[in-house]
Amino acid sequence: MLKLAVVGAGWAGMAAAVEAASRGAEVTVFEAARTLGGRARALPAILPDGSTAALDNGQHILIGAYANCLALMQKVGIDLSQALLSLPLSLPHADGSGLHTPSWAIGWPAPLDALAAIATTRGWRWRERLALVGTSLRWRRQGFNCDPQFTVAELCADLPVRVQQELIEPLCVSALNTPMVNASAAVFLTVLRDALFGPGVAGFSGSSLLLPRTDLSQLFPDAAARWLQQQDGSTGTSRLRIGTRVSMLRPQGAQWVLGHEDGEDVFDAVIWATAASPAEKTVRQAADACDDATGAVLMAWARSARALNHTAISTVYAWSADARLPAPMLALRAEPAGGAPAPAQFVFDRGQLNPLDRSAQGLLAFVISASSDDRDTLQAQVLEQAARQLGLHGLQPVQTVVEKRATFACTPGLVRPAQAITQGLWAAGDYVEGPYPATLEGAVRSGLAAARSATPAP
Ligand SMILES: Cc1cc2nc3c(=O)[nH]c(=O)nc-3n(C[C@H](O)[C@H](O)[C@H](O)COP(=O)(O)OP(=O)(O)OC[C@H]3O[C@@H](n4cnc5c(N)ncnc54)[C@H](O)[C@@H]3O)c2cc1C
């Protein structure tokens, strides 16, 4: 039986562990933190009234096109209809304008649901709606392919300014965490293809917005850990070493030795499933312990990981007993140039997502993709934005999470690190080569692919 180590219990690592165990490997997962989920994990917090609440490291959203992610969640026992609030494609503003799927088109197959949403968007002129429908159909005719060097801004240059500002820019910044002037048009088209024209899975339309009703650790990583332990009951093979940081990696013949605070273990294969930066450092150090040829391969891989640039995402959690939004999620407007800063693009009403959880009532999560300011500045600006745009004057800050290296900057022509590093050593993670931007779906796809490469077919 193949003895496999998975280093990192984020969504990529847990996907790799479940898939490898399913294929008969003896899996040990090492996770440095005490909570599973990595960048998509639960975060405990104290509310201003002294009660406790479960937040997330960052408010997340999934879409119905996340086929691998959703299928894996089901496999480990998550009831998707309970765990996710499914909304038809919509980007409503507080004043009721913005993209909405009309009630009569809910449940229509893709792309008709999205076309109906575009055709009936309030506040848009017919010329703007027709331009968007025409452009989407042209992208479809072209197979959602474009020059790999194109930015999203170049791809969409012919669309009316309002469509760019109210639809393309928020979609681009939330899907790729990169502003449209810098974002890869090819990756953007891949996400649009799956979201607007894909079949969707598990009864969801590809364009459905899926909002977690539980914290992010419960949504998949904790369930995956339970699933692995249940397999353990039958085969006695999977192990989870939480709170164990792997500090050393070196080859030993055809095997790999992992060093950690409790000693060393030897494995037939390793899937390194941390974020890019710790992966790069470990692989670079491992190169010193390899022969010259393997060392050069490892150094080349480390350089490709190091070359990635990263962008931040911040989440401002704020609370007031009577805060309630007109919808579970609203798009917020950028203010005109020279106006007051309005950094948050979206706000989520955690009370509507978790109606039975008392601690979630009145709790709002403001999301700032591609954020650049420091924590205190963002928090102050967001509270003022909430007062101006939503009329919420009494919000108190609960916690502001700034993830400086939230995702890689998804720019045109980017060459991402390969999944296969060298014999017996694979990389998994949202940054590894693949068609998706840094998302849960990208992380899960990468974990599954690494596990399939590392383990023989069952
Ligand atoms: C604030 C924020 C908002 C986001 N919003 C969305 C969204 O709305 N939708 C979406 O699809 N995606 C979103 N993303 C992206 C998504 O969270 C990531 O793409 C995904 O979680 C990456 O998973 P991963 O497994 O590749 O890496 P990680 O989550 O980084 O997991 C790596 C794991 O490795 C562990 N580790 C590191 N070093 C070691 C070591 N030496 N030994 C052992 N363990 C180690 C870490 O503790 C961590 O648990 C968001 C990300 C952030 C930060």
Side-chain angles (χ1 to χ4, degrees), residues 7-13 30-33 35-40 57-62 66 174 244-247 272-275 278 282 313-315 403 405-407 428-431 438-441 443:
V7 182
W11 286 53
F30 293 90
E31 169 53 52
T35 311
L36 303 182
R39 277 167 280 162
N57 183 51
Q59 176 68 45
H60 278 54
I61 183 165
L62 293 80
Y66 280 11
S174 55
T244 308
R245 176 178 298 279
V246 176
S247 51
W272 195 275
T274 71
T282 309
I313 303 180
S314 302
T315 310
E403 265 284 348
R405 298 172 66 85
T407 69
D430 60 355
Y431 69 94
T439 51
L440 298 174
E441 175 70 3

Side-chain angles (χ1 to χ4, degrees), residues 118 146 148 158 239 243 248 269 335 355 365 397:
I118 294 167
C146 72
D158 292 342
R239 277 191 303 160
M248 185 276 296
E335 301 211 354

Side-chain angles (χ1 to χ4, degrees), residues 46-71:
I46 308 283
L47 296 177
D49 67 0
S51 60
T52 55
L55 307 181
D56 293 307
N57 183 51
Q59 176 68 45
H60 278 54
I61 183 165
L62 293 80
I63 56 173
Y66 280 11
N68 294 272
C69 214
L70 296 170

Side-chain angles (χ1 to χ4, degrees), residues 58-120:
Q59 176 68 45
H60 278 54
I61 183 165
L62 293 80
I63 56 173
Y66 280 11
N68 294 272
C69 214
L70 296 170
L72 196 61
M73 286 160 70
Q74 280 184 312
K75 175 172 178 162
V76 298
I78 296 291
D79 178 346
L80 298 180
S81 64
Q82 295 287 317
L84 296 165
L85 173 65
S86 169
L87 300 175
L89 176 66
S90 53
L91 290 176
H93 291 286
D95 61 7
S97 65
L99 195 73
H100 287 269
T101 302
S103 52
W104 43 264
I106 293 173
W108 282 15
L112 297 179
D113 53 351
L115 291 177
I118 294 167
T120 55

Side-chain angles (χ1 to χ4, degrees), residues 28-399:
T28 304
V29 180
F30 293 90
E31 169 53 52
R34 297 247 155 236
T35 311
L36 303 182
R39 277 167 280 162
R41 68 173 190 280
L43 203 64
I46 308 283
L47 296 177
D49 67 0
S51 60
T52 55
L55 307 181
D56 293 307
N57 183 51
Q59 176 68 45
H60 278 54
I61 183 165
L62 293 80
I63 56 173
Y66 280 11
N68 294 272
C69 214
L70 296 170
L72 196 61
M73 286 160 70
Q74 280 184 312
K75 175 172 178 162
V76 298
I78 296 291
D79 178 346
L80 298 180
S81 64
Q82 295 287 317
L84 296 165
L85 173 65
S86 169
L87 300 175
L89 176 66
S90 53
L91 290 176
H93 291 286
D95 61 7
S97 65
L99 195 73
H100 287 269
T101 302
S103 52
W104 43 264
I106 293 173
W108 282 15
L112 297 179
D113 53 351
L115 291 177
I118 294 167
T120 55
T121 299
R122 265 173 275 169
W124 285 13
R125 298 199 173 89
W126 272 106
R127 189 181 62 78
E128 292 161 338
R129 296 173 195 168
L130 288 175
L132 180 57
V133 171
T135 303
S136 315
L137 293 175
R138 177 161 51 81
W139 289 336
R140 187 190 199 187
R141 275 198 309 279
Q142 293 166 347
F144 292 93
N145 290 313
C146 72
D147 181 335
Q149 299 302 330
F150 262 31
T151 64
V152 174
E154 286 165 338
L155 179 78
C156 299
D158 292 342
L159 283 173
V161 173
R162 191 199 306 248
V163 176
Q164 292 189 34
Q165 285 177 348
E166 294 195 4
L167 183 67
I168 303 295
E169 177 73 43
L171 277 185
C172 176
V173 89
S174 55
L176 275 63
N177 195 29
T178 309
M180 58 191 271
V181 285
N182 300 325
S184 160
V187 176
F188 183 67
L189 283 177
T190 299
V191 178
L192 276 193
R193 178 197 64 201
D194 293 354
L196 298 188
F197 293 87
V201 284
F204 300 122
S205 157
S207 62
S208 308
L209 306 177
L210 306 176
L211 309 187
R213 285 183 179 280
T214 69
D215 69 57
L216 291 171
S217 292
Q218 286 187 51
L219 192 59
F220 168 63
D222 288 352
R226 279 195 303 278
W227 185 91
L228 283 172
Q229 274 150 6
Q230 281 159 12
Q231 305 303 301
D232 202 25
S234 56
T235 61
T237 51
S238 303
R239 277 191 303 160
L240 210 53
R241 303 195 55 176
I242 298 175
T244 308
R245 176 178 298 279
V246 176
S247 51
M248 185 276 296
L249 173 71
R250 73 161 191 274
Q252 180 174 284
Q255 294 180 305
W256 289 90
V257 181
L258 293 189
H260 45 79
E261 60 234 36
D262 302 328
E264 294 185 351
D265 292 298
V266 183
F267 293 92
D268 301 320
V270 174
I271 296 179
W272 195 275
T274 71
S277 171
E280 178 259 319
K281 287 194 188 86
T282 309
V283 169
R284 194 155 33 83
Q285 282 164 5
D288 293 340
C290 294
D291 60 65
D292 287 354
T294 312
V297 171
L298 263 60
M299 286 305 286
W301 189 93
R303 276 195 296 279
S304 69
R306 191 175 202 160
L308 297 175
N309 291 314
H310 287 83
T311 44
I313 303 180
S314 302
T315 310
V316 176
Y317 290 99
W319 176 88
S320 92
D322 55 358
R324 191 171 170 88
L325 301 178
M329 167 192 158
L330 291 179
L332 297 170
R333 289 184 194 284
E335 301 211 354
Q345 295 99 1
F346 294 99
V347 56
F348 297 79
D349 185 339
R350 307 261 300 191
Q352 290 188 52
L353 298 179
N354 308 296
L356 300 179
D357 178 358
R358 283 191 57 201
S359 70
Q361 305 313 307
L363 187 59
L364 305 182
F366 295 83
V367 174
I368 306 123
S369 293
S371 68
S372 51
D373 278 314
D374 64 81
R375 187 181 162 282
D376 292 347
T377 307
L378 283 173
Q379 186 170 292
Q381 289 177 346
V382 163
L383 293 181
E384 285 172 22
Q385 183 182 4
R388 273 194 322 278
Q389 296 191 356
L390 302 171
L392 293 170
H393 295 277
L395 283 180
Q396 299 178 54
V398 173
Q399 190 154 336

